[in-house]
Amino acid sequence: MSRKVTGGDKQLPETKLTEKQIYERIWRSIAERRLPPGTRLKEERLCEIFGASRPRIRRALDQLTHDGLVSHIPNRGAFVTTPSVDEARDVFFTRRVVERGVIDALKKHGAQDKLAALEAHIAEEREALAEGDTARIIRLSGAFHMLLAELAASPLLADILRDLVSKSTLVTAVFQPKCDTQCGPDEHAAIVAALAAGDFDTAKTAMDEHLQEAERTLKLEASSEGNILQDDVLGTALSEG
């Protein structure tokens, strides 16, 4: 018989979701901008959504806090982090350093046999762009960079970049809330074309320019404080995860 957990006034059977799976669901919702900066993450509501105990929810939130995606405010609770201007600049600076390292790793391990996966991914990006599917565009844009790191056969680089991509999403949500410019397939295609030609220096230059342009589109002269959303946004956002 499954153990009961409390969610508000309801008694729900605890699911078999692990704290890692809960973490992944929340992380993905943040990375895909379904949980914007400033969203309150109420433990009671999360217990209802996941059918999980408070200790399990807290452990998942603690890991998200450790990764910089969630902030705990005394006497108020947990919120999706709202990055500052300095943090925004630091995220993109660090991404440029790390993603040059990813291309170096691709050079070391060989990129030619990985081109098909990258080209297929870019085709998906173009399809999402043509359909005007904003949520899918955001997901695929970040996934391109994570795919590069995975193909570079460096688990550590992939883990580091994964966190940086999600933090970039928070930065973009705060400083470019209307999603006017996306991390697009044409720029990704230029990087892949350089890799296909075996020109890794050009690939690194293309990556630098790509990330610099993404940073330039942000309005970093003023920080947004983020809007505290209604709690019911959680059910909609996490049910899609």
Side-chain angles (χ1 to χ4, degrees), residues 99-194:
E99 299 214 40
R100 287 176 68 88
V102 168
I103 291 172
D104 283 334
L106 280 168
K107 180 179 181 180
K108 178 180 178 181
H109 294 285
Q112 296 299 321
D113 60 337
K114 302 173 174 66
L115 296 176
L118 292 168
E119 289 167 353
H121 188 92
I122 291 171
E124 283 192 63
E125 289 187 65
R126 294 194 191 284
E127 181 182 272
L129 190 61
E131 294 174 354
D133 188 340
T134 301
R136 190 176 173 211
I137 291 167
I138 292 169
R139 177 176 62 80
L140 290 170
S141 294
F144 171 82
H145 293 269
M146 291 188 285
L147 178 60
L148 277 175
E150 289 165 7
L151 295 176
S154 174
L156 181 56
L157 272 177
D159 284 346
I160 292 170
L161 188 58
R162 183 178 185 273
D163 288 340
L164 286 170
V165 166
S166 57
K167 288 175 183 175
S168 299
T169 296
L170 290 177
V171 166
T172 304
V174 170
F175 298 103
Q176 191 195 74
K178 293 184 179 179
C179 301
D180 292 328
T181 303
Q182 295 296 334
C183 175
D186 289 343
E187 294 170 331
H188 292 167
I191 296 166
V192 173

